Amino acid sequence: NGYIQCCSLMRYLVVQVGDFTTIVGIALWATGLYLNMDSDRILRNLRGSGETGYKIPYGGLFEYVSGANFCAEILEWTGFAIATGFSIAGVTFAFCTFCNIGPRA
């Protein structure tokens, strides 16, 4: 996957920075990145030191979905695919991410 991404981005892909789809894709990617980091922070701080047991996360994207970090990662890679102008590598990675973690989100 990393090889395909690298080849696509370095050899074949020309992205117009001011293009509407590039701007929308970067905005979606950045939103997904923020939500992913926020979800990870909520999960990290879910239990105090020495605590065990099951805890339900609240706040952020967890108010809407149970797997907020998975949902945010799907949003990140969808934004990446849009930002790359729906390149084969970007769309393939977004699709594989959705198929892999989508059922858990």
Side-chain angles (χ1 to χ4, degrees), residues 5 8 77-78 80-82 84 86-95:
Q5 292 290 340
S8 176
W77 290 110
T78 300
F80 175 77
I82 294 169
T84 61
F86 298 98
S87 68
I88 295 285
V91 171
T92 301
F93 195 83
F95 177 74

Side-chain angles (χ1 to χ4, degrees), residues 5 9 24 26 33 40 43 47 50 53 59 74-75 95 99-100:
Q5 292 290 340
L9 292 174
V24 169
I26 290 171
L33 177 65
D40 287 344
L43 289 173
R47 289 185 233 155
I74 290 170
L75 182 63
F95 177 74
C99 290
N100 186 27

Side-chain angles (χ1 to χ4, degrees), residues 6-90:
C6 185
C7 286
S8 176
L9 292 174
M10 300 303 287
R11 291 186 186 166
Y12 309 111
L13 187 64
V14 176
V15 176
Q16 301 296 325
V17 177
D19 192 30
F20 178 73
T21 55
T22 304
I23 294 168
V24 169
I26 290 171
L28 282 174
W29 174 82
T31 302
L33 177 65
Y34 171 78
L35 291 171
N36 198 358
M37 290 170 45
D38 185 52
S39 300
D40 287 344
R41 179 191 55 79
I42 291 171
L43 289 173
R44 266 193 320 273
N45 297 325
L46 201 54
R47 289 185 233 155
S49 76
E51 273 188 89
T52 59
Y54 182 75
K55 300 266 184 155
I56 298 174
Y58 292 100
L61 198 55
F62 284 107
E63 297 295 322
Y64 305 101
V65 293
S66 60
N69 50 336
F70 299 134
C71 186
E73 189 161 342
I74 290 170
L75 182 63
E76 273 183 80
W77 290 110
T78 300
F80 175 77
I82 294 169
T84 61
F86 298 98
S87 68
I88 295 285

